[in-house]
């Protein structure tokens, strides 16, 4: 399938489908509404991961010192009661099983990415702070992405405080991590970038971007979903071509909000199809 044919196919999808495909460190080969904003869902957790590692490199946090695991957080909206996460809405019983105990931030960050734990995410944000996450977006040159609140901060949400991403901004964030392994960059040291990529490569939700790749292909990625929204953002590391970024953001009725796509989620299949086309074109990006 050519890029024009893919565009024509996506034109038939009701809603907004944004995409970015391009070699790391180079101009994109193909984009589609790459600057359109979408509700971030869990893709914002990639920026939280970077903020945490930046704090560790600055010496303000120790990733290996246990912190209390609790389910009570300050809202991004001043003056309102603290909020909690709903256990049934999370994707990781392991973190919930540690409430009342202590776990290192490194472990919480791992669960935040590989299982997309909301509870772990809010615990990490509690330690790094939302301004540090905003700084990550600034350093990548993001033009539209915002992380304004934690997960399930409904008071802030109702006041209009939200989390937004674009395909271009997500590609810039993950591409900077991939490039930073070889060349020191603004986000983190080469070792720090490599460590974050390892976490992203351990992602266990593999029903969208990874589903469009040959089995065993290395991909550092984060996805996100709620009903009506499904995103996949990653960097693929082929054995026979340079690494490339592939991001697909969908705001459409295709997404059923299921984390695994096991309910025959059309959005997962659409993202996998774009990923497969990018893979086929990997040597020519």
């Amino acid at each position: 399938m050519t890029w024009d044919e893919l565009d024509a196919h996506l034109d038939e999808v009701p809603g907004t489908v944004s995409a970015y495909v391009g070699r790391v460190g180079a101009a994109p080969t193909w984009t589609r509404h790459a600057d359109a904003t979408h509700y971030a869902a869990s893709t914002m957790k990639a920026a939280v991961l970077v903020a945490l590692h930046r704090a560790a490199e600055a010496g303000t946090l120790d990733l290996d010192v246990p912190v209390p695991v609790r389910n009570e957080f300050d809202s991004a909206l001043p003056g309102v009661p603290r909020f909690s996460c709903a256990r049934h809405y999370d994707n990781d019983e392991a973190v919930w099983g540690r409430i009342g105990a202590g776990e290192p931030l490194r472990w919480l960050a791992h669960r935040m990415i590989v299982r997309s734990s909301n509870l772990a995410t809010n615990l990490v944000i509690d330690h790094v702070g939302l301004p540090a996450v905003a700084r990550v977006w600034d350093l990548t040159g993001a033009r539209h992405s915002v992380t304004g609140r934690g997960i399930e901060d409904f008071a802030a949400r109702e006041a209009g405080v939200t989390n937004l991403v674009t395909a271009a901004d997500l590609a810039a964030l993950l591409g900077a991590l991939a490039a930073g392994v070889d060349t020191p960059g603004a986000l983190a040291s080469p070792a720090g970038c490599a460590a974050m990529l390892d976490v992203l490569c351990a992602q266990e939700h593999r029903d969208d971007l990874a589903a469009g790749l040959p089995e065993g292909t290395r991909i550092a990625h984060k996805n996100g979903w709620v009903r009506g929204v499904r995103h996949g953002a990653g960097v693929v590391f082929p054995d026979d071509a340079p690494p490339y970024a592939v991001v697909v953001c969908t705001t459409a009725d295709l997404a059923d909000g299921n984390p695994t796509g096991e309910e025959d989620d059309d959005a997962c299949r659409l993202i996998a199809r774009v990923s497969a086309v990018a893979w086929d074109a990997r040597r020519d990006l």
Side-chain angles (χ1 to χ4, degrees), residues 98-263:
R98 301 303 295 158
I99 288 180
E103 289 291 344
L105 285 166
R106 190 185 306 277
W107 182 82
L108 291 169
H110 185 83
R111 305 308 296 184
M112 172 181 73
I113 297 298
V114 306
R115 292 301 305 165
S116 206
S117 169
N118 294 335
L119 180 58
T121 301
N122 285 342
L123 287 164
V124 173
I125 289 174
D126 213 32
H127 285 82
V128 301
L130 289 169
V133 184
R135 180 61 177 155
V136 169
W137 288 120
D138 288 343
L139 289 169
T140 63
R143 296 194 295 165
H144 305 290
S145 295
V146 175
T147 304
R149 59 173 175 82
I151 307 293
E152 298 178 72
D153 183 354
F154 297 128
R157 185 187 70 179
E158 290 168 7
V161 181
T162 191
N163 298 325
L164 300 173
V165 292
T166 72
D169 290 346
L170 286 168
L173 174 63
L174 297 179
L177 289 181
V181 171
D182 298 316
T183 305
L187 288 185
S189 67
C193 289
M196 286 184 272
L197 288 173
D198 285 345
V199 175
L200 290 160
C201 283
Q203 173 63 250
E204 295 178 14
H205 294 288
R206 304 180 64 83
D207 300 278
D208 38 58
L209 286 179
L213 301 172
E215 188 172 353
T217 301
R218 187 169 185 250
I219 175 173
H221 62 126
K222 184 69 193 82
N223 34 31
W225 56 86
V226 296
R227 183 168 293 279
V229 169
R230 182 89 192 198
H231 309 322
V235 174
V236 180
F237 298 87
D239 291 334
D240 58 354
Y244 64 89
V246 54
V247 182
V248 186
C249 298
T250 71
T251 300
D253 290 339
L254 298 175
D256 64 14
N258 188 288
T260 65
E262 64 189 14
E263 298 300 326

Side-chain angles (χ1 to χ4, degrees), residues 87-104:
R87 189 167 189 163
H88 73 274
Y89 189 60
D90 210 335
N91 304 294
D92 190 7
E93 276 296 310
V95 181
W96 288 87
R98 301 303 295 158
I99 288 180
E103 289 291 344

Side-chain angles (χ1 to χ4, degrees), residues 1 3 6 20-31 213 234-238 240-247 274-285:
M1 178 180 286
W3 299 118
L6 182 56
Y20 180 108
V21 175
R23 190 165 290 174
V24 169
T29 297
W30 174 72
T31 64
L213 301 172
V235 174
V236 180
F237 298 87
D240 58 354
Y244 64 89
V246 54
V247 182
V274 175
S275 182
V277 173
W279 172 262
D280 288 343
R282 65 193 181 280
R283 298 185 187 90
D284 301 317
L285 296 178

Side-chain angles (χ1 to χ4, degrees), residues 13-18 32-33 36-38 228 230-231 249-253:
V13 177
T16 302
V17 179
S18 301
R32 176 187 173 85
H33 308 314
T37 55
H38 298 258
R230 182 89 192 198
H231 309 322
C249 298
T250 71
T251 300
D253 290 339

